[in-house]
């Protein structure tokens, strides 16, 4: 009988991990080792990847960012600007073998739960990708769960026929305004609009410009994304989109717009043109995010995307619950 075990992956096993992520239905660019490692350094958190092995074969795993504040040690599968993380496992048997599917996924999830749910971690939160639907093993082990949502847009077929008439009209109007769409690496222009987007809501941007700049450099180096900017005929930047991608789909990672030019419809026109570009380059679908933020859903839903659920699970020890009450710092953390 083949022995199964869970152990920490070593630095030299990054390629092994990425192969699993690439093959896994749950795997996203946010699970890739380069993304995990870079964010652990930028946010000053320890990175741990728990691998589930059958013999010498890695068939599942879970990535965690770990940090400590006073007596509280906590772990999360995500950090700012990283919407998903957590569990991945190999392709399960075909859909006709439900018992075998559930048996295998339960085996992997339960083994990982046992490895990460340890006394030294007072608080653990996993925000899994939309590819992980069955979270029952967590519920059975006493974890609390929460349903979240994202939007998927299908790039197959005629894009103009998919979007709402109102949004289509906005796109046409913007196209007549002599707006220019171009790829860009002007992080200053992007961040200026990005900051304005949050200031309009009375909020601070979730990440400083230096963080975004470093991530864009990394995305460039990995050929894993692009930034597009919309400009007026006088050269004023009025909207920007940063898309990233993996072997499954593209992701609308960050977006920004200039509120002083809201009426010309540049964000809709820009997104429409990026869709066309992605389609021409072989992408089949886009994860648009934004479905959990009411002031963003009105804009995105005009493109008639598909609403898709995903799930977060968390577990707190008594110390973790006490820490939430006593330490405002922990309540401010975006876990």
């Amino acid at each position: 009988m083949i022995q199964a075990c869970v152990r920490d992956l070593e630095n030299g096993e990054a390629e092994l991990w990425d192969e699993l992520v690439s093959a896994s239905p749950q795997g996203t660019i946010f699970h890739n080792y380069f993304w995990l490692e870079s964010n652990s350094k930028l946010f000053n958190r320890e990175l741990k990847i728990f691998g589930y092995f059958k013999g010498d074969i890695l068939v599942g795993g879970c990535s965690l960012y770990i940090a400590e504040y006073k007596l509280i040690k906590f772990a999360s599968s995500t950090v700012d600007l990283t919407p998903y993380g957590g569990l991945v496992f190999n392709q399960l048997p075909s859909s006709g073998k439900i018992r075998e599917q559930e048996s295998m996924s339960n085996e992997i999830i339960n083994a990982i739960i046992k490895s990460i749910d340890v006394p030294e971690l007072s608080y653990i939160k996993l925000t899994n990708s939309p590819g992980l639907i069955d979270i029952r093993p967590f519920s059975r082990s006493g974890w609390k769960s929460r349903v979240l949502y994202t939007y998927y847009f299908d790039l197959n077929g005629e894009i103009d026929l998919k979007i709402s008439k109102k949004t289509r009209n906005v796109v046409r109007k913007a196209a007549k305004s002599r707006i220019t769409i171009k790829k860009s690496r002007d992080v200053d222009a992007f961040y200026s609009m990005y900051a304005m987007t949050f200031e309009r809501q009375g909020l601070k941007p979730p990440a400083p410009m230096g963080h975004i700049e470093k991530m864009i450099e990394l995305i460039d180096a990995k050929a894993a994304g692009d930034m597009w900017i919309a400009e007026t005929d006088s050269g004023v930047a009025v909207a920007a989109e940063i898309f990233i991608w993996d072997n499954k789909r593209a992701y609308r990672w960050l977006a920004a717009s200039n509120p002083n030019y809201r009426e010309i419809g540049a964000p809709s026109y820009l997104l429409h043109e990026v869709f066309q570009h992605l389609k021409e380059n072989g992408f089949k679908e886009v994860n648009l995010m934004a479905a959990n933020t009411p002031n963003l859903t009105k804009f995105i839903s005009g493109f008639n995307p598909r609403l898709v659920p995903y799930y977060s699970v968390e577990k707190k020890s008594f110390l973790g619950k006490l820490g939430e009450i006593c330490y405002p710092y922990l309540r401010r953390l975006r876990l």
Side-chain angles (χ1 to χ4, degrees):
M1 183 175 178
I2 299 174
Q3 292 295 314
C5 71
V6 177
R7 65 168 175 82
D8 292 2
L9 264 64
E10 300 170 359
N11 291 337
E13 295 177 307
E15 187 175 344
L16 184 65
W17 171 254
D18 282 345
E19 287 173 359
L20 172 64
V21 169
S22 179
S24 170
Q26 300 83 36
T28 69
I29 187 172
F30 307 107
H31 291 87
N32 281 350
Y33 191 81
F34 84 86
W35 190 278
L36 297 171
E37 183 184 40
S38 299
N39 278 285
S40 71
K41 292 175 181 176
L42 287 168
F43 286 101
N44 193 29
R45 297 195 181 184
E46 179 189 359
L47 172 64
K48 276 205 168 193
I49 301 177
F50 297 84
Y52 179 82
F53 287 82
K54 277 206 163 183
D56 295 328
I57 300 174
L58 178 65
V59 297
C62 181
S63 57
L64 286 175
Y65 299 102
I66 299 175
E68 190 169 357
Y69 181 72
K70 295 190 176 178
L71 297 176
I72 307 298
K73 195 170 186 179
F74 53 90
S76 174
S77 66
T78 59
V79 288
D80 282 337
L81 309 186
T82 295
Y84 315 121
L87 282 154
V88 293
F89 39 82
N90 257 331
Q91 192 75 255
L92 296 174
S94 63
S95 58
K97 300 181 178 180
I98 301 300
R99 180 183 295 177
E100 192 176 345
Q101 280 184 349
E102 292 192 356
S103 176
M104 287 183 66
S105 64
N106 288 346
E107 178 185 326
I108 295 168
I109 293 172
N110 286 327
I112 289 174
I113 287 174
K114 187 176 180 180
S115 295
I116 65 177
D117 188 8
V118 292
E120 56 263 31
L121 289 178
S122 300
Y123 177 49
I124 312 170
K125 182 175 182 180
L126 306 180
T127 303
N128 296 293
S129 75
L132 182 65
I133 295 173
D134 190 355
I135 58 167
R136 289 175 294 175
F138 288 98
S139 300
R140 293 167 186 152
S141 297
W143 293 55
K144 290 185 177 180
S145 62
R146 180 187 175 201
V147 60
L148 300 161
Y149 295 93
T150 188
Y151 285 122
Y152 277 30
F153 184 80
D154 182 7
L155 294 171
N156 293 306
E158 184 63 41
I159 288 174
D160 284 346
L161 296 179
K162 296 176 181 290
I163 65 180
S164 70
K165 183 178 179 180
K166 183 176 180 180
T167 298
R168 200 159 56 238
N169 289 336
V170 171
V171 169
R172 288 171 180 166
K173 179 182 175 182
K176 293 177 181 178
S177 301
R178 289 189 280 184
I179 294 172
T180 301
I181 308 295
K182 65 179 185 180
K183 287 185 182 181
S184 173
R185 286 296 176 269
D186 190 344
V187 181
D188 289 332
F190 172 83
Y191 200 81
S192 176
M193 290 186 284
Y194 188 65
M196 282 191 282
T197 301
F198 284 91
E199 286 168 5
R200 195 167 67 234
Q201 305 168 59
L203 302 171
K204 289 183 178 180
M209 189 173 84
H211 177 107
I212 293 175
E213 194 169 29
K214 288 176 182 177
M215 290 306 296
I216 289 176
E217 288 174 1
L218 186 61
I219 289 164
D220 274 347
K222 297 289 183 178
D226 268 314
M227 177 165 70
W228 288 263
I229 285 184
E231 292 182 349
T232 64
D233 56 0
S234 59
V236 178
V238 290
E241 295 277 353
I242 302 176
F243 275 74
I244 55 180
W245 46 71
D246 52 35
N247 64 323
K248 302 177 184 70
R249 64 186 61 83
Y251 304 81
R252 186 177 184 245
W253 183 46
L254 296 176
S257 61
N258 188 327
N260 300 321
Y261 292 83
R262 193 181 306 171
E263 300 304 317
I264 66 175
S268 295
Y269 180 43
L270 175 57
L271 194 52
H272 176 274
E273 294 303 290
V274 174
F275 284 167
Q276 296 284 10
H277 174 85
L278 292 170
K279 179 183 175 181
E280 289 167 7
N281 282 272
F283 289 95
K284 304 299 183 186
E285 68 179 6
V286 177
N287 184 332
L288 293 171
M289 317 291 188
N292 300 307
T293 309
N295 63 331
L296 297 179
T297 58
K298 187 176 180 181
F299 170 70
I300 294 295
S301 60
F303 288 87
N304 288 331
R306 174 169 53 99
L307 190 65
V308 175
Y310 63 100
Y311 303 92
S312 71
V313 292
E314 66 175 31
K315 192 164 189 185
K316 303 173 189 175
S317 68
F318 173 76
L319 191 58
K321 294 174 184 177
L322 184 64
E324 272 197 312
I325 298 169
C326 299
Y327 303 132
Y329 170 84
L330 291 181
R331 293 198 296 271
R332 290 198 304 270
L333 283 169
R334 293 181 176 90
L335 293 174

